[in-house]
Amino acid sequence: MDKVFQSVFYLFLIIILFKLSQFAYRVIRERRYMKELAQSGMPYIDKMDGYQFEIYLKALFQQLGYKPQVTQKSGDFGADLVMKGKDKIVIQAKRYGVKNRVSLSAVQEVYGAKAYYKANQAWVVTNSYFTKQAKELAAACDVTLVDRADLQKFINEINPVFKAREIFENITPEPRKCPKCGQDLVVRDGNGCSSFPSCRHTEKINKEVSKSRPSL
């Protein structure tokens, strides 16, 4: 019986040690994730509007030695950014709510922009994730997809001299107009028309911001 008891005791001890090691691993992994999240500035990127996100990506690529090519104020042919360096890269910037996945239309647009601007590479960069269809089309069209995890890793590898917080706090968000009456949109429970209650147009704040933008 003593041997049986010892066997049971050792087995129980092994299980306890195994569970403790699992817990310690989860704690270490969580701390590492939170540290990398803070270093990347992702919480501030999530607060940006689309224009601020474009400015942030522009600064990020400039630190890598790329120079922005001026695009038209309207009718950008599917490229939010055109960066010239050792390669020319056209970029679609998608600052979405994390729950909203980027669809294949972004891949279609940037693929067309690649041809129009005679670029070497086409990227879609988001703080969110991509749909299955977007991934499949990107693989077929040789379009690079940079999702939330990729972006966080990309930022931490570059270790930019500027921080996402600086862009968020110092770059004024692009004014948004109500598509119904043309007045400014303001943030309430969602993006609402400033002429409320005469105009009751609202938009969800976790959707992508307006497509219109000034040139870079």
Side-chain angles (χ1 to χ4, degrees):
M1 290 296 293
D2 289 341
K3 290 183 178 180
V4 173
F5 176 79
Q6 286 181 347
S7 298
V8 172
F9 174 77
Y10 287 131
L11 178 60
F12 179 75
L13 184 60
I14 291 171
I15 293 173
I16 293 296
L17 292 174
F18 177 72
K19 292 294 184 181
L20 287 174
S21 65
Q22 281 187 318
F23 175 76
Y25 173 74
R26 285 197 297 269
V27 170
I28 293 172
R29 186 175 61 178
E30 180 68 18
R31 288 180 178 176
R32 183 184 301 140
Y33 170 79
M34 295 305 295
K35 181 179 179 181
E36 291 175 352
L37 185 69
Q39 287 176 341
S40 70
M42 195 63 69
Y44 288 98
I45 292 174
D46 290 338
K47 297 177 183 179
M48 292 178 183
D49 78 339
Y51 176 62
Q52 291 171 318
F53 187 46
E54 289 175 19
I55 295 298
Y56 178 77
L57 292 180
K58 174 184 171 182
L60 202 63
F61 275 83
Q62 283 180 315
Q63 185 166 325
L64 292 173
Y66 288 86
K67 296 180 179 180
Q69 175 181 326
V70 176
T71 58
Q72 300 181 50
K73 292 184 178 181
S74 62
D76 55 22
F77 297 97
D80 295 321
L81 301 171
V82 181
M83 306 304 296
K84 298 179 68 175
K86 57 182 179 180
D87 292 318
K88 181 187 283 188
I89 304 175
V90 290
I91 301 172
Q92 268 257 7
K94 296 296 186 184
R95 211 300 299 163
Y96 274 18
V98 178
K99 293 182 180 180
N100 292 330
R101 295 181 179 268
V102 181
S103 69
L104 59 79
S105 63
V107 178
Q108 293 170 330
E109 291 171 6
V110 81
Y111 181 68
K114 180 182 178 182
Y116 179 83
Y117 291 103
K118 297 179 174 60
N120 306 102
Q121 299 181 42
W123 292 28
V124 183
V125 183
T126 183
N127 65 319
S128 186
Y129 298 96
F130 296 92
T131 64
K132 180 181 178 182
Q133 292 83 357
K135 293 177 183 178
E136 291 175 352
L137 184 60
C141 296
D142 193 27
V143 170
T144 299
L145 300 184
V146 180
D147 67 10
R148 185 179 183 84
D150 297 327
L151 179 60
Q152 181 176 307
K153 182 179 179 181
F154 186 55
I155 294 168
N156 287 336
E157 286 178 350
I158 295 173
N159 190 24
V161 294
F162 59 92
K163 301 300 179 184
R165 178 176 180 176
E166 297 173 46
I167 301 292
F168 173 70
E169 293 180 346
N170 296 300
I171 300 297
T172 302
E174 185 178 32
R176 299 198 58 197
K177 299 295 182 181
C178 175
K180 289 189 176 181
C181 70
Q183 297 297 316
D184 291 336
L185 291 178
V186 294
V187 177
R188 296 192 193 90
D189 293 333
N191 285 328
C193 184
S194 58
S195 64
F196 180 87
S198 59
C199 178
R200 296 178 177 272
H201 175 77
T202 59
E203 296 176 3
K204 293 181 180 179
I205 60 174
N206 62 350
K207 288 189 175 181
E208 183 191 15
V209 299
S210 174
K211 290 286 185 182
S212 61
R213 62 181 65 79
S215 61
L216 299 176

